[in-house]
């Protein structure tokens, strides 16, 4: 695992490493805008999930820059590596489930729910499962993916 930062993270003023689960990132009404804003107060910002390919698709489709070079590894290992490599005093993981909270706590991150993080950062959230495709199958797929992501 490595931090994959295009610009020099030392020039970013933030003392925070911010990581969102894929499920949390999907809840953002405008992920690209939220990530751009987070970069103003965070040194590193990105998304992790158990499915690296799903993260790659989300990043590509939503125009989000991910500071974390992912490989096919689970959230536990990826977050552990990020915690070890990121040289910031604070590490925050934003998630959607009790399992996200367990992962964060286990590897030394502070945990924030997506609702709490959105409220603090003034990010707008979409409805769970909302997308351009609104059928039952799409909602079911999103729910399962959010639980796993």
């Amino acid at each position: 695992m490595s931090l994959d930062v295009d610009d020099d993270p030392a020039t970013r003023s933030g003392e925070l490493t911010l990581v969102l689960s894929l499920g949390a990132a999907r809840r953002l009404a405008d992920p690209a805008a939220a990530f751009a804003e987070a970069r103003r107060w965070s040194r590193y910002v990105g998304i992790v999930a158990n499915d690296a390919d799903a993260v790659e698709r989300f990043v590509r489709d939503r125009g989000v820059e991910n500071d974390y070079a992912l490989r096919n590894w689970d959230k536990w290992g990826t977050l552990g590596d990020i915690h070890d490599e990121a040289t910031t005093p604070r590490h925050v993981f934003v998630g959607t489930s009790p399992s996200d909270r367990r992962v964060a706590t286990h590897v030394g991150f502070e945990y924030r729910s997506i609702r709490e993080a959105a409220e603090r950062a003034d990010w707008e959230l979409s409805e769970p499962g909302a997308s351009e495709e609104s059928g039952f199958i799409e909602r079911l797929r999103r729910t399962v993916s959010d639980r796993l992501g």
Side-chain angles (χ1 to χ4, degrees):
M1 207 308 291
S2 66
L3 295 170
D4 182 25
V5 182
D6 290 333
D7 57 350
D8 183 3
T11 64
R12 293 185 189 166
S13 62
E15 294 190 3
L16 175 71
T17 295
L18 180 66
V19 182
L20 283 80
S21 71
L22 180 57
R26 285 180 173 151
R27 288 289 318 280
L28 296 168
D30 187 349
F35 272 63
E37 180 182 343
R39 288 182 191 290
R40 293 194 324 243
W41 38 266
S42 301
R43 188 167 308 156
Y44 305 108
V45 182
I47 303 170
V48 299
N50 291 329
D51 183 351
D53 292 334
V55 172
E56 294 282 332
R57 282 190 304 276
F58 181 87
V59 165
R60 181 184 62 241
D61 294 347
R62 299 299 179 109
V64 173
E65 292 183 43
N66 194 4
D67 287 344
Y68 313 120
L70 301 178
R71 54 184 179 203
N72 285 322
W73 201 14
D74 65 9
K75 282 189 282 193
W76 293 78
T78 303
L79 278 177
D81 281 353
I82 291 169
H83 189 275
D84 291 345
E85 289 187 26
T87 58
T88 58
R90 282 186 70 201
H91 299 82
V92 176
F93 181 57
V94 177
T96 60
S97 67
S99 68
D100 286 342
R101 180 182 296 276
R102 281 191 299 277
V103 171
T105 303
H106 180 76
V107 298
F109 275 72
E110 297 173 39
Y111 177 80
R112 298 287 181 263
S113 70
I114 186 59
R115 282 190 176 93
E116 181 183 2
E119 184 177 301
R120 288 181 175 209
D122 201 27
W123 294 332
E124 187 176 335
L125 295 178
S126 62
E127 291 300 314
S131 75
E132 297 78 29
E133 304 171 42
S134 60
F136 172 75
I137 299 298
E138 176 59 20
R139 288 192 310 272
L140 180 61
R141 185 191 67 75
R142 284 267 188 190
T143 300
V144 169
S145 183
D146 286 351
R147 297 280 182 215
L148 297 176

